[in-house]
PDB file of all heavy atoms in Angstrom:
ATOM      1  N   ARG D  39      -6.267 -11.202  10.818  1.00 96.00           N
ATOM      2  CA  ARG D  39      -5.695  -9.804  11.020  1.00 96.00           C
ATOM      3  C   ARG D  39      -4.383  -9.956  11.797  1.00 96.00           C
ATOM      4  O   ARG D  39      -4.285 -10.704  12.803  1.00 96.00           O
ATOM      5  CB  ARG D  39      -6.698  -9.135  11.876  1.00 96.00           C
ATOM      6  CG  ARG D  39      -8.082  -8.868  11.144  1.00 96.00           C
ATOM      7  CD  ARG D  39      -9.050  -8.099  11.925  1.00 96.00           C
ATOM      8  NE  ARG D  39      -9.285  -8.705  13.295  1.00 96.00           N
ATOM      9  CZ  ARG D  39      -9.428  -8.062  14.351  1.00 96.00           C
ATOM     10  NH1 ARG D  39      -9.344  -6.783  14.363  1.00 96.00           N
ATOM     11  NH2 ARG D  39      -9.660  -8.662  15.566  1.00 96.00           N
ATOM     12  N   LYS D  51       1.229  -5.492  17.778  1.00 94.00           N
ATOM     13  CA  LYS D  51       1.187  -5.410  16.314  1.00 94.00           C
ATOM     14  C   LYS D  51       2.636  -5.175  15.834  1.00 94.00           C
ATOM     15  O   LYS D  51       3.111  -5.741  14.836  1.00 94.00           O
ATOM     16  CB  LYS D  51       0.219  -4.351  15.903  1.00 94.00           C
ATOM     17  CG  LYS D  51      -0.747  -4.894  14.811  1.00 94.00           C
ATOM     18  CD  LYS D  51      -1.601  -3.690  14.368  1.00 94.00           C
ATOM     19  CE  LYS D  51      -1.906  -2.602  15.390  1.00 94.00           C
ATOM     20  NZ  LYS D  51      -2.693  -1.515  14.828  1.00 94.00           N
ATOM     21  N   TYR D  55       6.264  -6.834  12.919  1.00 96.00           N
ATOM     22  CA  TYR D  55       7.084  -6.114  11.855  1.00 96.00           C
ATOM     23  C   TYR D  55       8.521  -6.090  12.124  1.00 96.00           C
ATOM     24  O   TYR D  55       9.266  -5.727  11.231  1.00 96.00           O
ATOM     25  CB  TYR D  55       6.433  -4.830  11.516  1.00 96.00           C
ATOM     26  CG  TYR D  55       5.117  -4.869  10.797  1.00 96.00           C
ATOM     27  CD1 TYR D  55       3.948  -5.035  11.506  1.00 96.00           C
ATOM     28  CD2 TYR D  55       5.109  -4.901   9.411  1.00 96.00           C
ATOM     29  CE1 TYR D  55       2.694  -5.100  10.814  1.00 96.00           C
ATOM     30  CE2 TYR D  55       3.896  -5.118   8.768  1.00 96.00           C
ATOM     31  CZ  TYR D  55       2.728  -5.201   9.487  1.00 96.00           C
ATOM     32  OH  TYR D  55       1.607  -5.367   8.776  1.00 96.00           O
TER      33      TYR D  55
ATOM     34  P    DA F  11     -10.323  -6.151  11.314  1.00 75.72           P
ATOM     35  OP1  DA F  11     -10.963  -7.497  11.048  1.00 75.72           O
ATOM     36  OP2  DA F  11      -9.772  -5.856  12.662  1.00 75.72           O
ATOM     37  O5'  DA F  11      -9.100  -5.888  10.295  1.00 75.72           O
ATOM     38  C5'  DA F  11      -9.392  -6.112   8.835  1.00 75.72           C
ATOM     39  C4'  DA F  11      -8.237  -5.593   8.126  1.00 75.72           C
ATOM     40  O4'  DA F  11      -8.479  -4.161   8.004  1.00 75.72           O
ATOM     41  C3'  DA F  11      -7.003  -5.793   8.750  1.00 75.72           C
ATOM     42  O3'  DA F  11      -6.056  -6.567   7.850  1.00 75.72           O
ATOM     43  C2'  DA F  11      -6.289  -4.392   8.966  1.00 75.72           C
ATOM     44  C1'  DA F  11      -7.184  -3.583   8.092  1.00 75.72           C
ATOM     45  N9   DA F  11      -7.364  -2.215   8.829  1.00 75.72           N
ATOM     46  C8   DA F  11      -7.800  -1.992  10.026  1.00 75.72           C
ATOM     47  N7   DA F  11      -7.824  -0.801  10.454  1.00 75.72           N
ATOM     48  C5   DA F  11      -7.350  -0.138   9.290  1.00 75.72           C
ATOM     49  C6   DA F  11      -7.108   1.230   9.016  1.00 75.72           C
ATOM     50  N6   DA F  11      -7.335   2.177   9.946  1.00 75.72           N
ATOM     51  N1   DA F  11      -6.659   1.567   7.830  1.00 75.72           N
ATOM     52  C2   DA F  11      -6.400   0.609   6.962  1.00 75.72           C
ATOM     53  N3   DA F  11      -6.590  -0.663   7.025  1.00 75.72           N
ATOM     54  C4   DA F  11      -7.088  -0.966   8.290  1.00 75.72           C
ATOM     55  P    DC F  12      -4.677  -6.983   8.552  1.00 75.72           P
ATOM     56  OP1  DC F  12      -4.455  -8.316   8.036  1.00 75.72           O
ATOM     57  OP2  DC F  12      -4.565  -6.541   9.970  1.00 75.72           O
ATOM     58  O5'  DC F  12      -3.684  -6.003   7.706  1.00 75.72           O
ATOM     59  C5'  DC F  12      -3.745  -5.890   6.327  1.00 75.72           C
ATOM     60  C4'  DC F  12      -2.879  -4.764   5.802  1.00 75.72           C
ATOM     61  O4'  DC F  12      -3.298  -3.549   6.274  1.00 75.72           O
ATOM     62  C3'  DC F  12      -1.381  -4.981   6.222  1.00 75.72           C
ATOM     63  O3'  DC F  12      -0.558  -4.658   5.120  1.00 75.72           O
ATOM     64  C2'  DC F  12      -1.258  -3.978   7.345  1.00 75.72           C
ATOM     65  C1'  DC F  12      -2.316  -2.877   6.975  1.00 75.72           C
ATOM     66  N1   DC F  12      -2.805  -2.229   8.139  1.00 75.72           N
ATOM     67  C2   DC F  12      -2.919  -0.766   8.184  1.00 75.72           C
ATOM     68  O2   DC F  12      -2.463  -0.146   7.245  1.00 75.72           O
ATOM     69  N3   DC F  12      -3.559  -0.205   9.239  1.00 75.72           N
ATOM     70  C4   DC F  12      -4.023  -0.855  10.222  1.00 75.72           C
ATOM     71  N4   DC F  12      -4.537  -0.209  11.303  1.00 75.72           N
ATOM     72  C5   DC F  12      -3.989  -2.297  10.233  1.00 75.72           C
ATOM     73  C6   DC F  12      -3.347  -2.943   9.247  1.00 75.72           C
ATOM     74  P    DC F  13       0.955  -5.186   5.114  1.00 75.72           P
ATOM     75  OP1  DC F  13       1.400  -5.300   3.671  1.00 75.72           O
ATOM     76  OP2  DC F  13       1.066  -6.322   6.094  1.00 75.72           O
ATOM     77  O5'  DC F  13       1.678  -3.906   5.674  1.00 75.72           O
ATOM     78  C5'  DC F  13       1.592  -2.728   4.929  1.00 75.72           C
ATOM     79  C4'  DC F  13       2.011  -1.576   5.821  1.00 75.72           C
ATOM     80  O4'  DC F  13       1.159  -1.509   6.913  1.00 75.72           O
ATOM     81  C3'  DC F  13       3.368  -1.653   6.429  1.00 75.72           C
ATOM     82  O3'  DC F  13       4.306  -0.670   5.802  1.00 75.72           O
ATOM     83  C2'  DC F  13       3.130  -1.261   7.965  1.00 75.72           C
ATOM     84  C1'  DC F  13       1.749  -0.687   7.921  1.00 75.72           C
ATOM     85  N1   DC F  13       0.986  -0.797   9.141  1.00 75.72           N
ATOM     86  C2   DC F  13       0.570   0.334   9.853  1.00 75.72           C
ATOM     87  O2   DC F  13       0.971   1.406   9.416  1.00 75.72           O
ATOM     88  N3   DC F  13      -0.156   0.158  10.966  1.00 75.72           N
ATOM     89  C4   DC F  13      -0.477  -1.023  11.383  1.00 75.72           C
ATOM     90  N4   DC F  13      -1.243  -1.057  12.561  1.00 75.72           N
ATOM     91  C5   DC F  13      -0.125  -2.267  10.741  1.00 75.72           C
ATOM     92  C6   DC F  13       0.603  -2.082   9.564  1.00 75.72           C
TER      93       DC F  13
END
Side-chain angles (χ1 to χ4, degrees):
Chain D
R39 299 181 304 141
K51 234 184 325 179
Y55 286 87

